Amino acid sequence: MFKLLEKLLMPAAEKLGKNKILIAIRDGFLISTPLLIVGSIFLLLANFPISGWEEFWTKILGEGWDMWFVNVSRATFGIIALLSCLGTGYAYAREIKGDKIQSAAVALVSFIILMPTCISFEGVKGSGTISALAFEYVGSNGIFLALIVSVVSVKIFNWAYEKGWTIKMPNGVPPAVADSFAALIPSSIVIGFFFLIRIGFEFTTFETAHKFIYTVLQMPLQGIGNTLGAQMVYSTFGSLFWFFGINGPAVTNTIFGPIMKVLTIENLEAFQAGLPLPNIFTGPFSDFFTCYGGGGSTLSLVIVMMLFCKSKRITQLGKLSIVPGIFGINEPIIFGLPIVLNPVLIVPFIVVPSVNLILSTFATNLGIIPYTTGVALPWTTPIGFSGYLATGSLVAGLWQIGLLILGCFIYYPFIKMLDKKYLKDEEEATNSESEIEDISFEDLSAEDF
């Protein structure tokens, strides 16, 4: 069974892990992650989930104080498509050994070429237009188009470079000047290409590339990703990859990452606008209600190892792993226990996150815990705090503790089986050492020779 799974999963993981486009998309999002976390802190300060928080600060700072903080969150979450385009363009150029900065700049310009830059409005004196970029196109609605444009533009740009369609400056010209002239013709080709794409869409019913991609690609993918079935696949494969020693999220997020990011940002935009939150399956939901303590929700396992196991190997490892586990780091037990290729632990390693996912989905649907607000917290945020901050509800923090205890019950019989085996190994090793220590020259006799 395991050999069959290994035969199926290893080639897929290797192929996904080496795909330069998927790596670029994954790493492109990582470039924007610290900005989103900082933006979330400002958003939390403006909407801290404590009764009377807003009234207290209004008395001190006056009306509208929260907008100071909201402006920062808008400057990060509100331009997520721009950040994704820039980051993915940079990462993809890095993967194909191209000019990283120039490629990222060309990708950004190409994305803006496709964007409406003249916005209609209704004013007191009638209708009019202004030259501007709408947040509608640079926020979550534009993420998928930004990813496509960044990959295509960088591909064309570097293709022109490789063809030698560049302006070569004489020796002695500073490298920065030479590089800028070398990028002139490739940049012109990319910009000309997207210029024609923009004109072409104006003759269709979609009018813009943004509306086309959003309707044809982004909405269907979001719909599929925002289901319990898709999330079960995401969770199960994440655990399976870990079982074979492959970083599960690093593989599965190459596919699910963009979808989860869009669903998260949609919740945040609705939260900021005071509207009902639309999505259950956001990034924080996956991090804090499915896989807390790392892949396999192993914080429960670490607690059982510390409290109920007897073998020195397991208890000592549990004590060493508890602090990293609280912050979501579980490599010590994945490779040290180990969980990798361990048939005893594969069942709870898959089952616990799946049970967490199913129960938390039902709890959210029933209104027991609120939807996540879309606030981006570091995945290392400890259990209890993360549930509270991600939803603004103390009940969500308590729900996490309940899942943690349930996970202990599920892991218990399996780790006890392993504990029994390790305990036997340790006793045998101790007896063997005792026998060696008991041997002395006095035990030898002439007959032994």
Side-chain angles (χ1 to χ4, degrees):
M1 178 66 179
F2 291 138
K3 286 184 178 178
L4 177 63
L5 280 173
E6 186 176 5
K7 190 176 179 181
L8 293 172
L9 288 177
M10 290 298 280
E14 190 174 355
K15 192 167 284 187
L16 288 174
K18 290 182 178 178
N19 187 289
K20 293 178 180 177
I21 293 177
L22 294 179
I23 292 172
I25 291 173
R26 182 195 65 195
D27 293 353
F29 277 126
L30 291 177
I31 290 172
S32 64
T33 297
L35 300 173
L36 297 181
I37 291 174
V38 173
S40 294
I41 293 171
F42 279 81
L43 186 65
L44 274 175
L45 290 173
N47 302 274
F48 204 74
I50 292 178
S51 178
W53 175 266
E54 183 177 350
E55 292 76 10
F56 174 77
W57 286 109
T58 299
K59 289 179 183 176
I60 298 175
L61 302 174
E63 293 288 342
W65 65 271
D66 55 330
M67 292 306 296
W68 303 342
F69 296 86
V70 171
N71 285 334
V72 177
S73 62
R74 279 182 181 167
T76 50
F77 289 99
I79 61 166
I80 183 65
L82 291 178
L83 295 173
S84 301
C85 184
L86 200 67
T88 304
Y90 182 92
Y92 188 45
R94 182 197 63 199
E95 291 299 313
I96 60 176
K97 313 297 181 191
D99 186 330
K100 297 186 285 293
I101 296 296
Q102 202 67 43
S103 296
V106 167
L108 184 62
V109 170
S110 302
F111 181 61
I112 294 176
I113 286 173
L114 297 178
M115 195 182 304
T117 53
C118 190
I119 300 174
S120 303
F121 70 94
E122 291 291 336
V124 179
K125 296 181 180 179
S127 60
T129 58
I130 56 171
S131 297
L133 298 177
F135 277 104
E136 175 188 0
Y137 297 104
V138 298
S140 60
N141 289 348
I143 285 182
F144 276 71
L145 180 63
L147 299 178
I148 294 170
V149 168
S150 60
V151 170
V152 173
S153 61
V154 173
K155 191 78 178 174
I156 296 174
F157 181 83
N158 284 277
W159 170 77
Y161 242 100
E162 290 170 2
K163 288 287 184 183
W165 297 343
T166 58
I167 297 175
K168 294 180 174 61
M169 301 300 286
N171 294 334
V173 174
V177 177
D179 290 345
S180 65
F181 274 91
L184 184 59
I185 293 177
S187 298
S188 302
I189 293 173
V190 175
I191 290 171
F193 175 78
F194 282 101
F195 168 71
L196 294 176
I197 294 288
R198 178 189 174 116
I199 292 175
F201 271 106
E202 289 188 0
F203 290 99
T204 68
T205 55
F206 292 103
E207 296 181 349
T208 66
H210 284 79
K211 289 181 182 175
F212 173 75
I213 294 297
Y214 184 74
T215 306
V216 174
L217 183 63
Q218 184 163 332
M219 282 295 288
L221 284 177
Q222 279 182 233
I224 294 170
N226 198 18
T227 62
L228 180 58
Q231 293 298 317
M232 286 291 289
V233 171
Y234 174 56
S235 172
T236 302
F237 273 86
S239 297
L240 276 176
F241 282 125
W242 266 129
F243 177 71
F244 291 105
I246 303 164
N247 188 321
V251 177
T252 54
N253 281 341
T254 55
I255 297 172
F256 281 88
I259 299 172
M260 302 288 277
K261 184 74 76 177
V262 172
L263 296 174
T264 304
I265 300 293
E266 281 188 350
N267 271 27
L268 183 81
E269 290 172 346
F271 177 66
Q272 286 179 312
L275 299 173
L277 304 179
N279 305 312
I280 292 178
F281 303 111
T282 61
F285 181 87
S286 176
D287 289 340
F288 305 132
F289 294 101
T290 301
C291 275
Y292 48 81
S297 298
T298 50
L299 185 57
S300 299
L301 173 61
V302 173
I303 292 172
V304 176
M305 288 166 62
M306 284 177 52
L307 299 181
F308 301 105
C309 291
K310 295 178 180 175
S311 78
K312 290 180 181 176
R313 175 177 173 179
I314 291 182
T315 53
Q316 194 65 25
L317 187 60
K319 291 174 185 174
L320 292 172
S321 303
I322 185 64
V323 174
I326 289 172
F327 293 96
I329 298 166
N330 63 350
E331 277 81 355
I333 60 166
I334 282 184
F335 297 104
L337 190 54
I339 291 174
V340 173
L341 297 177
N342 189 330
V344 177
L345 293 176
I346 180 60
V347 174
F349 194 68
I350 293 176
V351 167
V352 172
S354 300
V355 168
N356 291 343
L357 172 62
I358 293 169
L359 291 179
S360 296
T361 301
F362 283 128
T364 309
N365 278 323
L366 293 172
I368 297 172
I369 58 174
Y371 285 48
T372 54
T373 58
V375 168
L377 299 169
W379 57 271
T380 51
T381 307
I383 188 172
F385 294 105
S386 56
Y388 170 61
L389 294 175
T391 62
S393 168
L394 284 171
V395 175
L398 295 174
W399 177 264
Q400 287 182 301
I401 303 300
L403 292 178
L404 179 71
I405 297 169
L406 179 61
C408 291
F409 279 105
I410 298 174
Y411 268 114
Y412 180 83
F414 296 93
I415 190 63
K416 285 299 285 182
M417 276 194 280
L418 198 64
D419 182 50
K420 191 175 179 182
K421 179 179 181 304
Y422 286 173
L423 200 58
K424 185 179 177 184
D425 293 344
E426 289 170 5
E427 287 174 353
E428 288 176 354
T430 304
N431 293 335
S432 176
E433 288 174 3
S434 300
E435 288 175 3
I436 292 172
E437 289 174 357
D438 290 341
I439 295 175
S440 69
F441 286 107
E442 294 176 355
D443 299 325
L444 297 176
S445 64
E447 295 177 354
D448 294 325
F449 300 97

